[in-house]
Amino acid sequence: MAGQEDQFKKVLSHAKEYGFVFQSSEIYDGLSAVYDYAQHGVELKKNIREYWWKAMVQLHENIVGVDAAILMHPTTWKASGHVDAFNDPLIDNKDSKKRYRADVLIEDYCAKIEGKINKEVAKAAKRFGDAFDKDQFVATNPRVLGYQDKINSILSRMAKSLENEDLADVKLLIEELGIADPLTGSKNWTEVKQFNLMFGTQIGASAENSTQVYLRPETAQGIFVNFLNVQKTGRMKIPFGIAQTGKAFRNEIVARQFIFRMREFEQMEMQFFIKPGTQKEWYEHWKKERLAWHLSLGMGADNYRFHDHEKLAHYADAAADIEFNFPFGFKELEGIHSRTDFDLSQHEQYSGKKLQYFDPQENKSYVPYVVETSIGLDRMFLAVFSNSLIDEALDNGTTRTVLKLPPVLAPYKAAILPLVKKDGLPEIAKEIVEDLKWDFNTFYDEKDAVGKRYRRQDAIGTPFCITADHQTLEDQTVTVRYRDTMDQQRVPITELRAMIGKEVSVRNWLKKIQE
Ligand code: ATP
């Protein structure tokens, strides 16, 4: 755990020191859970967005995009259920005056029991060596089964109480489990209350004529209200999808995990419209396809796992998270939800407009069912960034900090460095920049010794450093230094574009999804 906390601290300071993420309005001491992306962060974020967009829209002829407004007609949020049900159960500690999400306190308690299971597994793995069968052990060991039973009964009781709005029982559960304020150890809790997460604002100049509107808490509704417009104008046939990336806003109760839980964040969502009755099949399909997208980035299959929801949201008939191994443990990165016809039916009812699809094969109209994939861009950023940040011990006894980003996502694809700031080397280096910049984001650096410049590029994740030296003047070759291996190779200038292109092409990376 200490190692994980250290890693998280390192992530925070590296993100700031190397120009990835800053606290919003930092000169005024910041705004809680709101962040700005800096010069390198904005590139990484854009590349992740593009990697998603290409995989979802460009590679699927039956998926198209939209870019809906953040402000929507307020009835949207009545229809979607957000006005009445987009709540988190909050609880205050009377002694520390700290506020918590009651469900998160209970889930963290269960995560601790899970930690005990993992310890048992590790102990047994050591004892049995190669003969160890983890699945069998977990399914039969009485102590592990006892722990698992306890987790299951706690979570299902919580799910039931939340579903029945029995907040008194949620508090009782916290008391029965002896859950204390993680910061102070106090068990002096208030009642559990519901808290609506939507940010409200006003449209209109004067108080009398103004209308209460909301900053959208999810991008999905902008897709649903445009369903028929897109279907008709695009002549889309079911099954088809509509994708969108954009800002969403939630007044989160507890926001202490950097860009994991923000009050203003960005989502990348796709709503897939299908024939009723086929939702199970499509739900499984999108679970598989989304996991393959994650795995294509090569960040380690062990770092992902599915978590099937016990407590379903008001709109869902099945839901799973793809969880990622963040520096603070496995947490939700993406959700895949089978939303039935809930949203479109609700919008039909509230707007009085038909939102149906005429199926020529069936020769009838119906309200389509929907399977949604919804990922937080900022969470994906944090997953990639924290997973890539490595302190590496070198043969000469020193260490280097290197950000081993998947090259396809790196802010700069290549840094061009003249070995010295004279003898015509800066000129030739700049000529290389002039050529490469049409295809790749490049960086020119002539300050300090070349070793130091390499380290600077390592720290921001640039996969290639290209150094022009005196030999370059004679034979038009340069040294290419690889970020991950630090190997160096002599390459003709004319081959640079193809060489870099191969390593960073979205095509080569996304093709892995099909493998
Ligand atoms: P959580 O349980 O962590 O609050 P959620 O289940 O409410 O998340 P969804 O409504 O399913 O999240 O939203 C889809 C995705 O949007 C999440 O998987 C996550 O990646 C992202 N997301 C949600 N809330 C935030 C937030 N406050 N900050 C950053 N990303 C978020």
Side-chain angles (χ1 to χ4, degrees):
M1 195 62 198
Q4 282 193 330
E5 272 166 28
D6 288 351
Q7 172 67 6
F8 191 38
K9 274 194 201 138
K10 230 179 282 159
V11 165
L12 294 179
S13 62
H14 197 88
K16 177 168 182 202
E17 194 179 335
Y18 287 92
F20 283 87
V21 182
F22 300 145
Q23 174 106 60
S24 156
S25 10
E26 196 192 70
I27 58 167
Y28 296 106
D29 295 332
L31 186 64
S32 160
V34 186
Y35 291 90
D36 296 341
Y37 286 85
Q39 67 277 18
H40 299 136
V42 70
E43 297 290 340
L44 174 56
K45 190 176 171 198
K46 178 189 67 140
N47 292 342
I48 296 172
R49 192 191 294 112
E50 194 172 294
Y51 195 67
W52 182 88
W53 190 267
K54 291 206 160 151
M56 300 302 276
V57 180
Q58 188 171 322
L59 295 186
H60 291 96
E61 60 175 356
N62 61 348
I63 299 182
V64 293
V66 293
D67 183 13
I70 286 171
L71 299 175
M72 300 180 68
H73 192 284
T75 309
T76 309
W77 306 110
K78 273 300 264 181
S80 69
H82 283 81
V83 171
D84 295 322
F86 194 53
N87 301 318
D88 275 344
L90 70 82
I91 189 165
D92 290 300
N93 188 281
K94 290 186 200 162
D95 296 328
S96 69
K97 309 273 181 271
K98 292 271 174 225
R99 178 158 280 187
Y100 295 93
R101 259 173 68 176
D103 56 334
V104 171
L105 286 177
I106 295 168
E107 277 165 11
D108 285 351
Y109 181 89
C110 292
K112 280 199 194 123
I113 308 179
E114 203 176 314
K116 289 185 188 164
I117 296 180
N118 292 341
K119 263 200 197 132
E120 293 290 335
V121 171
K123 253 194 335 208
K126 215 162 155 195
R127 191 153 18 105
F128 293 114
D130 286 347
F132 183 60
D133 179 341
K134 184 179 164 195
D135 292 342
Q136 196 197 349
F137 179 78
V138 170
T140 54
N141 180 276
R143 209 172 287 164
V144 170
L145 290 176
Y147 286 141
Q148 197 55 56
D149 270 357
K150 188 160 182 206
I151 294 177
N152 293 347
S153 84
I154 294 171
L155 290 180
S156 67
R157 176 165 158 200
M158 178 178 84
K160 215 156 109 205
S161 307
L162 287 174
E163 198 149 313
N164 299 336
E165 291 278 319
D166 185 356
L167 298 180
D169 189 59
V170 177
K171 176 170 184 200
L172 200 62
L173 183 58
I174 288 177
E175 283 172 344
E176 281 175 23
L177 297 172
I179 296 177
D181 181 334
L183 292 176
T184 64
S186 157
K187 293 180 185 170
N188 192 6
W189 296 110
T190 61
E191 300 305 309
V192 177
K193 279 181 294 203
Q194 291 288 21
F195 175 78
N196 193 289
L197 299 182
M198 281 198 294
F199 281 103
T201 186
Q202 250 83 42
I203 275 193
S206 66
E208 308 86 72
N209 313 334
S210 70
T211 311
Q212 157 99 41
V213 291
Y214 298 100
L215 303 184
R216 65 182 176 194
E218 62 176 26
T219 56
Q221 299 304 324
I223 293 177
F224 292 127
V225 298
N226 280 304
F227 156 73
L228 211 54
N229 281 340
V230 172
Q231 190 272 321
K232 289 231 157 88
T233 56
R235 295 188 300 140
M236 308 300 291
K237 288 202 173 52
I238 273 180
F240 74 92
I242 305 179
Q244 166 161 235
T245 70
K247 285 281 175 93
F249 302 81
R250 296 183 187 178
N251 198 359
E252 297 281 359
I253 299 169
V254 189
R256 313 200 176 93
Q257 278 165 321
F258 190 40
I259 54 173
F260 181 81
R261 191 172 297 289
M262 303 157 90
R263 297 207 161 98
E264 173 178 345
F265 59 101
E266 191 164 337
Q267 289 187 313
M268 306 192 286
E269 297 197 303
M270 192 277 298
Q271 310 295 326
F272 201 66
F273 299 92
I274 55 176
K275 197 162 109 183
T278 62
Q279 66 269 29
K280 189 125 200 61
E281 179 191 316
W282 282 112
Y283 173 67
E284 293 304 330
H285 169 93
W286 281 110
K287 271 174 75 174
K288 216 165 116 209
E289 184 147 340
R290 291 304 304 145
L291 183 64
W293 179 84
H294 287 284
L295 295 180
S296 74
L297 288 168
M299 299 201 297
D302 288 351
N303 285 322
Y304 302 87
R305 69 181 189 196
F306 278 113
H307 166 77
D308 293 316
H309 283 209
E310 295 259 343
K311 173 186 180 249
L312 292 174
H314 57 274
Y315 51 76
D317 81 344
D321 299 334
I322 296 177
E323 294 186 337
F324 185 76
N325 190 9
F326 286 99
F328 34 83
F330 274 95
K331 290 268 185 280
E332 171 176 348
L333 169 61
E334 169 157 11
I336 293 110
H337 309 130
S338 173
R339 292 180 81 124
T340 67
D341 59 356
F342 175 82
D343 302 271
L344 290 180
S345 300
Q346 287 290 104
H347 288 305
E348 272 201 326
Q349 197 186 324
Y350 278 80
S351 67
K353 311 256 162 44
K354 269 204 174 341
L355 294 176
Q356 301 196 354
Y357 171 79
F358 178 75
D359 190 327
Q361 267 156 4
E362 305 272 318
N363 198 26
K364 67 171 191 202
S365 295
Y366 53 77
V367 179
Y369 269 40
V370 170
V371 172
E372 152 186 272
T373 71
S374 173
I375 172 170
L377 175 49
D378 313 86
R379 279 194 196 174
M380 185 63 195
F381 183 109
L382 183 59
V384 173
F385 190 84
S386 58
N387 188 260
S388 304
L389 185 61
I390 289 161
D391 276 336
E392 199 171 68
L394 301 179
D395 290 344
N396 64 6
T398 60
T399 55
R400 68 164 181 154
T401 299
V402 52
L403 195 60
K404 290 190 173 175
L405 298 171
V408 66
L409 302 181
Y412 296 110
K413 304 307 183 198
I416 325 301
L417 322 167
L419 184 64
V420 289
K421 221 161 57 176
K422 56 181 184 187
D423 304 335
L425 299 185
E427 286 73 14
I428 195 157
K430 282 179 186 162
E431 263 172 44
I432 296 173
V433 170
E434 277 308 308
D435 180 42
L436 293 181
K437 76 178 189 189
W438 296 91
D439 295 290
F440 314 110
N441 211 13
T442 55
F443 190 87
Y444 174 80
D445 190 5
E446 58 180 26
K447 277 190 248 47
D448 300 321
V450 78
K452 221 167 172 185
R453 282 180 269 165
Y454 284 158
R455 292 299 152 82
R456 274 205 292 267
Q457 295 306 317
D458 285 346
I460 59 171
T462 309
F464 301 102
C465 282
I466 296 165
T467 306
D469 55 18
H470 292 94
Q471 192 183 329
T472 310
L473 299 171
E474 284 157 28
D475 65 4
Q476 297 287 301
T477 66
V478 285
T479 306
V480 173
R481 179 222 185 233
Y482 297 87
R483 176 195 69 193
D484 295 353
T485 58
M486 297 194 295
D487 287 345
Q488 302 194 9
Q489 194 191 347
R490 213 69 219 171
V491 175
I493 291 173
T494 48
E495 286 175 20
L496 286 174
R497 187 140 62 96
M499 189 199 79
I500 301 169
K502 195 166 137 247
E503 296 297 324
V504 306
S505 104
V506 174
R507 176 193 181 90
N508 290 346
W509 283 82
L510 280 180
K511 279 237 162 184
K512 292 187 203 144
I513 292 180
Q514 290 158 358
E515 281 164 10

